[in-house]
Amino acid sequence: MDSIRRNLWCLFVFVSLIPFNFGSLSANFYESSCPKLLSTVRREVVKAVAKEYRMGASLLRLHFHDCFVNGCDASVLLDDTSNFTGEKTAIPNKDSLRGFEVIDGIKTLVEASCPSVVSCADILSIAARDSVVALGGPSWVVALGRRDATTASFDRANNDLPSPFLDLPDLVSAFSNKGFDTKELVALSGSHTIGQARCSMFRVRAHNETTIDSDFAASLRSNCPFSGDDDKLSSLDVRTPSSFDTAYFKNLIQNKGLLHSDQALFNNGSADSHVTSYSSNPSAFFSDFAAAMVKMSNLSPLTGTDGEIRSDCRKINA
């Protein structure tokens, strides 16, 4: 895993050419109040990804599932209580989201040196970026200054997060509702070049769909029977599952997308040209992915006196 550490500094590091100030957010927000924040998050993310490369995808996905529901406010991190139902048990998240303990560990270290200063939402945003870099992907400037939500929305998590069973028109609509065009949809979907999915998410595709390579379908069926074994995992990218690269798009062109929603991006529709372009142009994909991540991380942040700075990412302050 030494290569993962080297990747953090020297492999495919493309910094987005976005100004360092994003309205009320700023890249140097904690420069004086918590100067070791970035190095602390980076160190812990590198350790987590070196221990289990899948964790990189899990931390990135946590950030995505946070931002698509009421904005990037760490609402996804809140545990359910006896009188509160958060987002963790919503259908897209239950038995699926992971990496919470990594965020908890980072938060504990940050609180020890900078108590009640850094939000969980900002930690999640930084960790997502550092996870991508640790797996060989692009970097981008993370604007900071978010605050944490004091509530969450089970219903919006069920409704706003795009399903892996969607066709292209519904995917375009789901991302358009958050301000993203088709090109940005494809770029962000490129995050599926890392990570894994449960059998229950691709069973129908493996057994019943026709827009799938026959050998690929057979290999999936051997790991994911028609019934049972819901939690068996397969890599979203069959080629290079531990590297953030353009293999995902090459897979789609060969009808080897794992999820129905993956293959929907290359199925004689409006997204085909973007898939084809990214498959042969890593620098374009990295640049566009970084820019889309910057845009996503700025979805409706809480700033100023809104929300709070949680001392424990799993619960609101007493």
Side-chain angles (χ1 to χ4, degrees):
M1 284 297 187
D2 287 345
S3 61
I4 291 179
R5 296 177 183 274
R6 291 196 298 271
N7 284 343
L8 186 60
W9 297 103
C10 60
L11 276 183
F12 301 111
V13 179
F14 290 76
V15 179
S16 176
L17 298 178
I18 304 290
F20 270 43
N21 188 282
F22 301 75
S24 56
L25 302 180
S26 171
N28 59 1
F29 188 84
Y30 298 110
E31 187 173 43
S32 299
S33 59
C34 197
K36 294 183 179 180
L37 170 64
L38 295 180
S39 60
T40 299
V41 177
R42 181 172 61 241
R43 182 184 69 245
E44 295 305 305
V45 168
V46 168
K47 285 168 54 178
V49 175
K51 182 178 180 180
E52 181 197 10
Y53 77 83
R54 183 188 172 204
M55 187 55 69
S58 297
L59 293 173
L60 176 59
R61 189 163 180 258
L62 265 182
H63 182 47
F64 174 84
H65 281 230
D66 180 38
C67 292
F68 256 57
V69 180
N70 292 333
C72 307
D73 59 3
S75 58
V76 74
L77 302 179
L78 289 171
D79 284 341
D80 291 355
T81 67
S82 58
N83 56 9
F84 167 79
T85 301
E87 298 165 17
K88 287 183 176 179
T89 53
I91 292 172
N93 297 335
K94 186 179 180 182
D95 301 323
S96 175
L97 288 185
R98 56 198 299 275
F100 298 105
E101 72 284 355
V102 176
I103 300 301
D104 290 340
I106 294 171
K107 179 64 172 174
T108 297
L109 292 173
V110 171
E111 282 293 302
S113 57
C114 315
S116 302
V117 171
V118 180
S119 69
C120 300
D122 277 343
I123 289 174
L124 199 52
S125 298
I126 301 166
R129 187 269 312 276
D130 290 351
S131 293
V132 170
V133 176
L135 291 171
S139 184
W140 56 91
V141 175
V142 178
L144 302 168
R146 298 168 192 79
R147 288 168 64 85
D148 299 322
T150 56
T151 187
S153 178
F154 175 86
D155 290 338
R156 292 200 66 173
N158 277 323
N159 293 324
D160 288 5
L161 291 166
S163 162
F165 308 108
L166 293 182
D167 290 317
L168 182 60
D170 290 326
L171 286 170
V172 170
S173 177
F175 278 75
S176 177
N177 288 340
K178 302 299 177 181
F180 297 101
D181 60 23
T182 301
K183 185 177 183 180
E184 291 168 324
L185 155 65
V186 176
L188 288 172
S189 296
S191 63
H192 284 184
T193 189
I194 54 175
Q196 298 175 318
R198 297 164 62 232
C199 170
S200 58
M201 298 295 102
F202 59 86
R203 172 181 285 119
V204 172
R205 173 157 169 74
H207 288 269
N208 294 336
E209 294 189 6
T210 58
T211 58
I212 187 170
D213 176 83
S214 58
D215 291 337
F216 179 57
S219 69
L220 293 179
R221 290 194 295 268
S222 68
N223 185 47
C224 180
F226 191 75
S227 62
D229 289 336
D230 283 1
D231 293 330
K232 278 201 168 182
L233 300 171
S234 286
S235 295
L236 289 159
D237 173 5
V238 69
R239 292 172 181 245
T240 53
S242 61
S243 297
F244 196 99
D245 54 26
T246 59
Y248 167 80
F249 301 109
K250 296 174 182 177
N251 293 335
L252 298 187
I253 292 172
Q254 295 181 349
N255 285 334
K256 293 181 180 179
L258 180 66
L259 304 178
H260 179 90
S261 57
D262 288 328
Q263 197 59 55
L265 300 179
F266 193 82
N267 190 25
N268 299 314
S270 60
D272 283 18
S273 61
H274 302 304
V275 171
T276 301
S277 174
Y278 290 148
S279 72
S280 59
N281 194 338
S283 62
F285 167 50
F286 277 28
S287 178
D288 289 351
F289 179 81
M293 286 299 297
V294 169
K295 184 173 178 178
M296 189 184 77
S297 68
N298 282 276
L299 289 176
S300 306
L302 297 174
T303 59
T305 58
D306 292 334
E308 64 181 13
I309 304 297
R310 286 187 222 139
S311 58
D312 181 338
C313 291
R314 293 176 178 265
K315 60 185 181 181
I316 62 174
N317 296 335

